[in-house]
């Protein structure tokens, strides 16, 4: 039988065969939790990959649908006793599916998403238009008349947005305070720089207070995360090389405050070997700040923490954000049930698969409400958008913030 996969970038058959179909991954998988379908579990998807590699199934629309429903959260990797690198298998399989093109019903949406979200200038123009749309009263009218029901994709995007702040560019260099510890580059991201610019300002301020000279190249663009997760490997590799070239070589760290970006950048060496050295210097902001001395004042808050998938499972960074929050005097950190279950954001998944995303969001909001916390922290802009949407829809007055925002709020200087 001839394999349905073609070329040197085919999924690694030896990696596929490491799966012993034990089922330990099943309860950790978001789509299996919601649907209860074997083929929508990691084990089931690996079975499909093996069948395709062995020529027993074609890369049909049904095959693609089961792969499309995967959020790529990588919770199965954390659970797997055999160490199957499911994320790499998913990326390689999606790259194979790219050769057939997306299903007809997704082509327009995919073309729109990939021409907008990884392009900060275009995204900024659209968000500026959204500010005008809201300020003019057109948004209120669209909601009142139900007109958005005729445009479900736009309705989904509208639901994710609330306030769109005006951005002020950061300086290219922020001097270190006090004793110098080194030089750190700061990734400003795409969504982060436009929807959560204060998170970038707080990150730069905290790094400087910790003793780092912060380098913020103006020429930096997208990290390529969306392309990687969609199997658009050529575009991903090009973005990776361009981004790495934007940062000077003498940095001790390249710091990210977006879980998806950090996971992607830490993996650059796997797909683009010449970027292995760059990838080795990438750190999540909480990894750097947890090792630093910061003068923190009191914050009397009850906070819970959501583990962003690509921070907990992609980067294996779990304790540092919690340690950082617990260091704030007066702050009470309450653990969140199912903290590392995906909230449904997953890049542009909540736009492409809104029904599944909303089902996962409902589970997440339920767990947050159970904690009694008035603040929920999460280290990824997509999670912040998704969870904030859930809070607004239920009329809950729970604040949704990045951990660095709370640390910056407590900073004495």
């Amino acid at each position: 039988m001839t394999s349905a996969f073609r070329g040197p970038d085919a999924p690694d058959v030896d990696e596929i065969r490491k799966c012993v179909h034990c089922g330990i991954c099943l309860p950790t998988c978001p789509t299996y939790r919601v649907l209860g379908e074997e083929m929508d579990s990691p084990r089931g998807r690996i079975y499909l990959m093996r069948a395709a590699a062995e020529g027993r199934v074609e890369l049909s629309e049904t095959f693609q649908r089961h792969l499309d429903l995967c959020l790529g959260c990588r919770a199965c990797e954390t659970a797997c006793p055999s160490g199957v690198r499911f994320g790499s298998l998913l990326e390689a399989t999606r790259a194979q599916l790219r050769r057939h093109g997306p299903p007809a019903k997704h082509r327009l949406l995919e073309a729109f998403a990939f021409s907008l979200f990884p392009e900060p200038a275009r995204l900024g123009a659209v968000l500026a238009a959204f500010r005008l749309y809201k300020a003019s009263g057109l948004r209120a009218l669209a909601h009142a008349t139900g007109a958005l029901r005729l445009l479900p994709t736009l309705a989904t995007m509208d639901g994710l947005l609330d306030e769109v702040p005006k951005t002020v560019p950061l300086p290219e260099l922020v001097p270190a305070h006090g004793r110098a510890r080194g030089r750190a580059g700061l990734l400003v991201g795409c969504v982060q720089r436009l929807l959560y610019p204060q998170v970038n300002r707080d990150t730069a301020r905290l790094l400087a207070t910790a003793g780092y000279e912060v380098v913020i190249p103006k020429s930096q663009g997208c990290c390529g995360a969306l392309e990687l997760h969609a199997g658009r490997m050529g575009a991903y590799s090009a973005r990776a090389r361009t981004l790495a070239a934007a940062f000077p070589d003498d940095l001790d760290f390249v710091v990210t405050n977006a879980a998806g970006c950090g996971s992607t950048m830490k993996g650059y060496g796997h797909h683009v070997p010449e970027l292995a050295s760059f990838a080795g210097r990438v750190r999540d902001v909480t990894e750097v700040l947890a090792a630093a001395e910061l003068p923190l004042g009191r914050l009397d808050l009850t906070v819970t923490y959501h583990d962003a998938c690509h921070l907990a499972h992609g980067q294996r960074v779990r304790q540092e954000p919690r340690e950082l929050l617990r260091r704030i005097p007066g702050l009470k950190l309450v653990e969140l049930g199912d903290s590392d279950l995906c909230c449904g954001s997953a890049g542009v998944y909540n736009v492409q698969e809104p029904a599944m995303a909303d089902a996962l969001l409902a589970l997440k909001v339920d767990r947050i409400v159970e904690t009694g916390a008035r603040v929920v922290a999460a280290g990824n802009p997509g999670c912040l958008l998704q969870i904030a949407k859930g809070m607004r829809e239920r009329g809950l007055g729970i604040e949704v913030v990045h951990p660095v925002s709370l640390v910056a709020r407590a900073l004495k200087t």
Side-chain angles (χ1 to χ4, degrees):
M1 292 181 286
T2 303
S3 172
F5 296 135
R6 302 283 186 272
D9 58 349
D12 185 338
V13 176
D14 290 335
E15 192 68 26
I16 290 173
R17 289 174 177 160
K18 282 167 63 176
C19 176
V20 296
H21 302 282
C22 65
I24 290 174
C25 62
L26 298 184
T28 72
C29 176
T31 50
Y32 185 79
R33 287 274 291 267
V34 172
L35 299 173
E37 293 287 342
E38 177 70 19
M39 290 300 114
D40 292 313
S41 74
R43 181 173 69 179
R45 292 180 177 114
I46 289 174
Y47 179 86
L48 288 174
M49 292 175 193
R50 182 165 182 169
E54 295 173 351
R56 292 183 284 114
V57 300
E58 295 295 323
L59 304 185
S60 64
E61 285 194 20
T62 300
F63 180 101
Q64 176 150 353
R65 183 60 185 152
H66 291 301
L67 272 293
D68 282 348
L69 275 175
C70 179
L71 293 105
C73 71
R74 298 171 63 177
C76 53
E77 290 188 23
T78 300
C80 182
S82 300
V84 177
R85 293 183 294 111
F86 182 84
S88 296
L89 293 175
L90 178 66
E91 291 157 8
T93 303
R94 284 180 169 168
Q96 294 284 315
L97 290 166
R98 293 295 320 164
R99 296 176 183 174
H100 298 264
K105 66 177 182 178
H106 286 167
R107 283 176 192 158
L108 186 59
L109 176 56
E110 186 165 300
F112 170 76
F114 284 96
S115 67
L116 177 64
F117 293 110
E119 302 290 345
R122 294 177 191 168
L123 184 57
V126 169
L127 291 174
F130 176 86
R131 278 199 300 268
L132 180 60
Y133 160 71
K134 182 178 179 181
S136 68
L138 286 174
R139 188 189 194 202
L141 180 63
H143 285 200
T145 60
L148 285 175
R149 286 196 295 267
L150 302 174
L151 301 164
T153 299
L154 289 180
T156 298
M157 294 176 65
D158 179 273
L160 286 166
L161 294 173
D162 188 27
E163 296 297 327
V164 176
K166 292 185 178 180
T167 59
V168 177
L170 290 167
E172 290 194 81
L173 187 69
V174 179
H177 299 176
R179 184 175 64 87
R181 294 172 61 99
R183 277 163 56 85
L186 174 60
L187 180 85
V188 296
C190 299
V191 171
Q192 194 82 291
R193 79 171 78 180
L194 295 168
L195 288 177
Y196 299 102
Q198 186 60 47
V199 173
N200 284 333
R201 289 195 291 273
D202 289 341
T203 299
R205 178 181 169 219
L206 289 167
L207 289 171
T209 302
Y212 289 96
E213 183 178 64
V214 185
V215 180
I216 311 171
K218 282 187 178 179
S219 61
Q220 62 177 291
C222 177
C223 68
L226 294 183
E227 281 94 351
L228 174 64
H229 301 325
R232 300 163 68 102
M233 303 309 292
Y236 155 74
S237 298
R239 287 195 189 277
R241 291 187 177 96
T242 301
L243 180 67
F247 286 89
D249 293 331
D250 63 345
L251 299 174
D252 297 286
F253 304 119
V254 177
V255 176
T256 77
N257 50 33
C261 300
S263 179
T264 297
M265 292 163 66
K266 286 182 178 182
Y268 276 175
H270 177 71
H271 296 288
V272 190
E274 68 265 30
L275 298 184
S277 175
F278 176 87
R281 288 180 288 144
V282 176
R283 299 287 188 277
D284 183 73
V285 60
T286 61
E287 293 181 278
V288 179
L289 295 180
E293 294 293 330
L294 295 169
L296 300 178
R298 188 175 184 85
L299 280 184
D300 291 308
L301 292 173
T302 301
V303 179
T304 193
Y305 176 74
H306 159 71
D307 282 289
C309 297
H310 284 90
L311 196 54
H313 305 301
Q315 301 182 56
R316 305 298 171 97
V317 174
R318 291 174 177 267
Q319 293 310 312
E320 291 88 340
R322 290 172 167 83
E323 290 172 9
L324 201 54
L325 292 173
R326 288 193 183 105
R327 201 179 296 170
I328 300 173
L331 187 147
K332 179 184 178 183
L333 185 63
V334 182
E335 281 297 325
L336 177 64
D338 286 328
S339 177
D340 58 0
L341 181 70
C342 186
C343 66
S345 174
V348 293
Y349 186 96
N350 50 1
V351 177
Q352 294 174 317
E353 303 289 346
M356 178 61 68
D358 284 348
L360 292 168
L361 177 58
L363 294 175
K364 182 62 62 177
V365 174
D366 286 345
R367 299 288 85 79
I368 291 168
V369 170
E370 288 169 1
T371 68
R374 303 312 302 163
V375 179
V376 55
N380 192 58
C383 300
L384 296 177
L385 279 171
Q386 178 80 344
I387 296 171
K389 171 195 170 188
M391 297 304 165
R392 288 194 303 274
E393 289 179 345
R394 292 208 197 174
L396 299 169
I398 298 176
E399 186 182 9
V400 185
V401 298
H402 194 288
V404 301
S405 299
L406 293 174
V407 179
R409 203 179 293 177
L411 196 65
K412 287 181 178 179
T413 57

